[in-house]
Amino acid sequence: MADPGKRFDDNLDGKFFVDQTCINCDTCRQLAPQTFGEQAEHSFVYYQPSEPNAERAATQALLCCPTGSIGTVGGNDAKAVMADLPLPLTANIYYCGFNSPKSYGGNSYFIQHESGSNWLIDSPKFLPHLVKQFRALGGIKYIFLTHRDDVADAKKYATEFSAMRIVHAADADSAPGSEIIIDLKEPRKVNNQLHRSFADLIDFTIIPTPGHTRGHMVLLYNGKYLFTGDHLAFDRESQRLEAFREHCWYSWQVQAESMEKLNQHSFEWLFTGHGERVFLPAKTMHAQIQDLVMRMQS
């Protein structure tokens, strides 16, 4: 719980505040950009919400903050707003919320698949509320781990739902006992030829994207939706795609090569681990990735 005695001085006076435990993960700025901003390597309240929708978004941010660094003076509607999560994004895709400090506040997602084989992409905190909500949505069959940084509580969800964790062999030591370990060098459709535990789900493609880590992978769903982990994101200030050189743990050159190969695929949505989620028309997405590759290689 955020401590009013540790609130940053740059918070605008009023109900909401950010305290000095903030890790600058960007979660609150994604959910409530009209309330939270960034300066001096932390988030702060630059505008106190006055409209109901803005206050609800700020309360969602309070709930999803991985370090509990957002607080309010007086009461709030967190108990009621909790029912919003997981948050529907588009089609049958949800943002889980309740980002975990174990993944430095990385986002995780849930796909309610028409076959009943639902997917969790990376892991939020393990909470009874999410267990209840996931169960109401049909449970979890597969947990896709994009890379070693965002494993968080995947094992607990795997145990709770008898789900199968999918991880690349190069990052498998981060998720001991994972049920499906794959050693891909090229993109593959999800089917039982890839692994005997897979059903034929041809609308999913696993794409290896080494660079950020050696075993990083992204998941392409239905030819439109790309779950990027920490490989790729959208920068709200520059309004262009970006990769995180300062947080590249394996090889920036290899990540640039992976980015160039990724541009062979068509997609319109980025659901990111860190950084802004975004929709761009496929042609615009392709052009922006091409520009990003040139910047990464320069």
Side-chain angles (χ1 to χ4, degrees):
M1 183 177 294
D3 183 351
K6 295 181 179 179
R7 61 185 293 161
F8 285 112
D9 292 338
D10 45 15
N11 287 292
L12 187 69
D13 287 341
K15 181 174 183 177
F16 286 87
F17 67 90
V18 179
D19 78 8
Q20 295 173 26
T21 62
C22 173
I23 59 173
N24 201 31
C25 69
D26 196 51
T27 299
C28 65
R29 303 191 297 269
Q30 294 169 29
L31 289 166
Q34 65 273 63
T35 297
F36 300 98
E38 178 188 16
Q39 64 182 15
E41 298 298 317
H42 65 264
S43 293
F44 74 109
V45 175
Y46 74 90
Y47 183 81
Q48 291 291 344
S50 56
E51 299 296 325
N53 287 346
E55 180 156 348
R56 194 171 194 93
T59 306
Q60 290 171 353
L62 181 153
L63 288 166
C64 295
C65 174
T67 49
S69 302
I70 299 171
T72 57
V73 177
N76 58 58
D77 293 327
K79 287 187 177 180
V81 173
M82 187 180 293
D84 295 350
L85 299 163
L87 190 67
L89 297 176
T90 183
N92 51 343
I93 298 171
Y94 298 76
Y95 160 66
C96 297
F98 302 102
N99 295 25
S100 173
K102 298 174 185 176
S103 59
Y104 202 80
N107 298 318
S108 58
Y109 302 93
F110 179 88
I111 301 174
Q112 186 181 32
H113 195 262
E114 60 187 8
S115 69
S117 297
N118 298 333
W119 291 63
L120 182 65
I121 294 92
D122 292 326
S123 174
K125 294 175 182 175
F126 185 81
L127 295 173
H129 171 79
L130 282 179
V131 169
K132 179 181 177 181
Q133 296 293 82
F134 291 151
R135 204 174 297 285
L137 290 166
I140 301 168
K141 184 168 184 178
Y142 300 113
I143 302 175
F144 182 81
L145 300 174
T146 58
H147 66 296
R148 65 173 58 252
D149 297 348
D150 290 357
V151 171
D153 289 334
K155 183 177 180 179
K156 292 181 180 180
Y157 282 108
T159 300
E160 180 70 28
F161 289 97
S162 299
M164 290 175 279
R165 291 163 292 168
I166 306 163
V167 66
H168 194 283
D171 278 10
D173 62 315
S174 64
S178 287
E179 294 73 18
I180 301 176
I181 298 175
I182 52 180
D183 191 6
L184 287 183
K185 293 180 173 58
E186 298 295 333
R188 289 284 301 275
K189 293 283 188 182
V190 171
N191 55 40
N192 56 19
Q193 294 180 1
L194 176 58
H195 193 279
R196 65 183 181 277
S197 299
F198 282 133
D200 285 338
L201 299 171
I202 59 173
D203 44 357
F204 290 90
T205 302
I206 298 175
I207 305 170
T209 50
H212 174 74
T213 65
R214 194 158 67 93
H216 197 290
M217 305 185 293
V218 300
L219 183 67
L220 178 60
Y221 169 54
N222 208 22
K224 291 183 179 180
Y225 311 105
L226 189 73
F227 297 88
T228 69
D230 286 353
H231 182 65
L232 176 65
F234 186 75
D235 182 80
R236 72 176 65 87
E237 293 184 2
S238 66
Q239 291 291 293
R240 65 182 186 180
L241 298 182
E242 66 171 352
F244 307 110
R245 185 166 194 166
E246 66 274 23
H247 299 124
C248 178
W249 312 132
Y250 176 56
S251 168
W252 186 245
Q253 179 181 343
V254 171
Q255 188 168 347
E257 293 168 358
S258 295
M259 197 73 70
E260 190 168 24
K261 291 179 181 178
L262 181 62
N263 217 14
Q264 298 170 7
H265 301 269
S266 178
F267 45 88
E268 298 175 335
W269 284 90
L270 296 186
F271 295 115
T272 60
H274 289 95
E276 196 78 9
R277 296 180 282 274
V278 71
F279 167 84
L280 296 172
K283 288 185 178 179
T284 304
M285 188 77 75
H286 177 81
Q288 286 224 16
I289 292 178
Q290 196 168 32
D291 174 70
L292 173 58
V293 170
M294 292 178 64
R295 286 185 276 123
M296 293 176 74
Q297 292 175 339
S298 65

